[in-house]
Structure formats: structure tokens, C-alpha cells
Amino acid sequence: MKTPFKSIQQQLRLNRWSVLSVVIVSGMVCSVALVLMYKVHRESLEHAFVVNGEGDVIPLAWVDRRKNLEVEALAHLELFHKCFYGVDAGSYERNMEKALWLGNASVTEVFQQKKADGFYNRLLQYSLVQKVERIDSKIELEEESMDFRTCTILKIYRGSATDTYELITTGRLILVDRNFPHNPHGLLVIDFFENSLRKMDTNEDTQK
């Protein structure tokens, strides 16, 4: 003979199994989601990116970073030197902000020293334009860092007058996390130092 109590027991048992099934399925879904997220994260770390002419970030399959490391290091040094030394009265603050993302405190110290020496005040006062004509870098690949020596040819325009200078800088590059668009190559200039700056004569400039 059926009783209301027995029906209630069956209903409670059914509800318990339903709740337990929902919990198990939810746990499985969460576990699968976590695994997929980890896989996507790992795959993203194994990919390189470039920025096209429109400013869009494009992923590229990353096979062996060391094979392309020298190419990226040269591109990083070219970008850094163009931002740090290619300045005029209207762009130097923007270019300095870009350059400081590419180097550590040693770059900031050189910037502060140039500022204290009045370089940027003269830039504004006389409307000087400093352009980077050529950048030649040599890199020594090491286990954890890369030593570099860069020769930069600069032209400073003062109205109708133009002066050409050869600047030698040295330092090291270390690997860091990529930061788009501030640091697309995932490298950082450290131990940065301006070794020498000399004015080139007209004949020498023509030969170069």
C-alpha cells in the first residue's frame, strides 16, 4: 500500500540525484574550460606578432625564437634609436615616451642628463630638427642577454645649416614580455651608454 511518505522519499531521492548530476556536469564543464584556457595561453606564448601598416597586430607561428632573435634585436635597436634620437620641437615628448618603453632606468638616466644639459630647451628655443639618417648595430648573442654596439648617423637642421654627427652607443638587450604596442619585440635595453659623439665633415659625410 502506497503512502504519501514513500512518495516524498522517492521525490527527495530523485531531487538529490538531479542536483548531484548538475554539480558533476558543472564540474566537468569548468575543468574542460580551464584546460582549454591553459592551452590557449600556452599557444599564445608560442606565437610572435607583427604590426602591419594599419596598426593591426598579426600573430605568426613561433617555431624557434632564437633563430629570429638577432633580427628582432636589430629591429628593436633601430626602433629605439629612431625614437630616442629622431626628435624635433613638436615630437620629442611623444618620441621620448615611446623610447622609454624600450629601455630600463639606464635609458631614463641618459634622457635626464640630456634634459639637464639643456638639449631639449635648445630644441624648442631654436626649432632644431634632429633626424636619424642611418643605424648600424652589431650584436653578440649570449645565453641570457645580448651585448650591442650601435653607430647612429644624425643630422641636425638649424634653419639653412645642417650638421652631421656620428654617435656610438652601447648596452645590452634582455628578453621581457611583449607589450603591444609599446614593446612589440619583447626586448629591453639595459646598461645604455653614449660612448662618443663626433661631428663629421662634409667629405666624410658624402663618402658614408
Side-chain angles (χ1 to χ4, degrees), residues 8-175:
I8 292 174
Q9 278 187 323
Q10 291 176 346
Q11 189 65 38
L12 290 175
R13 188 179 296 111
L14 180 61
N15 290 344
R16 182 175 62 187
W17 281 109
S18 298
V19 172
L20 186 59
S21 299
V22 171
V23 171
I24 293 174
V25 172
S26 300
M28 292 176 63
V29 171
C30 291
S31 299
V32 172
L34 288 174
V35 171
L36 290 176
M37 288 178 60
Y38 177 76
K39 184 178 179 181
V40 170
H41 176 67
R42 292 298 303 172
E43 288 179 353
S44 67
L45 292 179
E46 294 172 357
H47 283 72
F49 300 84
V50 295
V51 180
N52 64 11
E54 288 72 36
D56 298 322
V57 178
I58 303 174
L60 297 175
W62 190 260
V63 180
D64 184 357
R65 183 170 191 179
R66 189 163 183 83
K67 291 181 181 179
N68 303 317
L69 190 55
E70 185 173 359
V71 175
E72 288 217 62
L74 291 172
H76 185 86
L77 289 172
E78 182 171 356
L79 176 62
F80 167 73
H81 283 82
K82 281 184 176 180
C83 290
F84 197 77
Y85 293 107
V87 294
D88 56 47
S91 68
Y92 89 91
E93 290 183 339
R94 182 173 64 254
N95 284 6
M96 286 306 104
E97 183 179 356
K98 292 179 181 179
L100 294 177
W101 275 97
L102 306 175
N104 72 344
S106 62
V107 174
T108 305
E109 289 175 4
V110 174
F111 168 64
Q112 293 295 344
Q113 183 60 51
K114 294 169 76 70
K115 192 174 182 179
D117 292 341
F119 173 77
Y120 300 108
N121 286 337
R122 292 192 297 273
L123 195 74
L124 296 172
Q125 184 177 358
Y126 300 108
S127 298
L128 302 179
V129 176
Q130 180 172 279
K131 289 189 175 181
V132 176
E133 289 292 305
R134 192 172 71 252
I135 299 171
D136 295 319
S137 297
K138 297 185 183 301
I139 301 173
E140 293 183 9
L141 293 176
E142 298 179 4
E143 193 66 29
E144 296 182 355
S145 65
M146 292 156 279
D147 294 338
F148 71 84
R149 181 181 185 276
T150 299
C151 175
T152 305
I153 304 301
L154 305 170
K155 283 187 179 294
I156 298 180
Y157 297 88
R158 296 180 291 106
S160 59
T162 303
D163 296 324
T164 305
Y165 293 86
E166 179 189 70
L167 173 68
I168 304 297
T169 55
T170 57
R172 290 190 296 144
L173 292 173
I174 59 173
L175 295 172

